[in-house]
Amino acid sequence: MNNACEVYELREDMEYQPVCEDSKVRVCVSLVRSDAERELRAMEVRRRNQEKRLLRSAIIAAGEVVKMAVAVGAGYGLYSCLAARLLASRGYPAIGSELIFAGLFGAGVWFLLDKILGGDHLLEK
């Protein structure tokens, strides 16, 4: 402030602060943030953090769905191949040990993908 005669435009969120004892002559104007403005900023930060948590949860849930779909597809594909081979060797359609093996294979694929891609421990961060 070069010129002491300059008068600044006052707003509602500004308050007077005296510079020295003779405050009638020398008054400084400073910007004061209201409590409502601080609360609004805090609410915005909380909203952004909640959106980040929801997005992270959605990504992890999508990963779980993909893992399950791949495991079921692998088990079904193996069962189809084994059932066709056993039908040719037996001569009649029957459900036998290939169903158990295909289920175990699908579970193994799911556990392998769980180790590679990660599991629910990502939600803790």
Side-chain angles (χ1 to χ4, degrees):
M1 182 150 84
N2 296 335
N3 188 356
C5 296
E6 289 183 13
V7 177
Y8 291 98
E9 200 175 305
L10 296 178
R11 296 190 325 214
E12 291 179 9
D13 59 349
M14 292 184 174
E15 74 178 13
Y16 299 102
Q17 292 182 349
V19 175
C20 61
E21 290 180 14
D22 58 345
S23 62
K24 295 177 183 175
V25 177
R26 298 178 184 154
V27 174
C28 176
V29 178
S30 67
L31 180 65
V32 177
R33 290 192 176 154
S34 65
D35 291 335
E37 187 177 341
R38 276 189 236 124
E39 182 63 29
L40 185 64
R41 287 176 192 231
M43 284 177 27
E44 182 68 23
V45 168
R46 282 193 299 263
R47 186 186 62 79
R48 285 182 189 162
N49 289 339
Q50 184 179 14
E51 286 175 357
K52 287 178 185 177
R53 277 183 296 208
L54 287 174
L55 181 61
R56 185 183 312 148
S57 298
I59 290 171
I60 291 172
E64 292 293 323
V65 168
V66 167
K67 284 192 289 189
M68 190 62 76
V70 168
V72 168
Y76 180 74
L78 181 67
Y79 174 75
S80 298
C81 294
L82 289 177
R85 286 190 173 240
L86 290 175
L87 175 64
S89 68
R90 286 187 199 136
Y92 61 93
I95 296 176
S97 61
E98 71 272 6
L99 186 62
I100 295 170
F101 183 68
L104 288 175
F105 182 75
V109 168
W110 187 81
F111 283 119
L112 183 66
L113 287 175
D114 192 47
K115 289 294 181 186
I116 292 172
L117 297 178
D120 291 340
H121 66 282
L122 295 174
L123 287 174
E124 297 171 3
K125 292 183 181 177

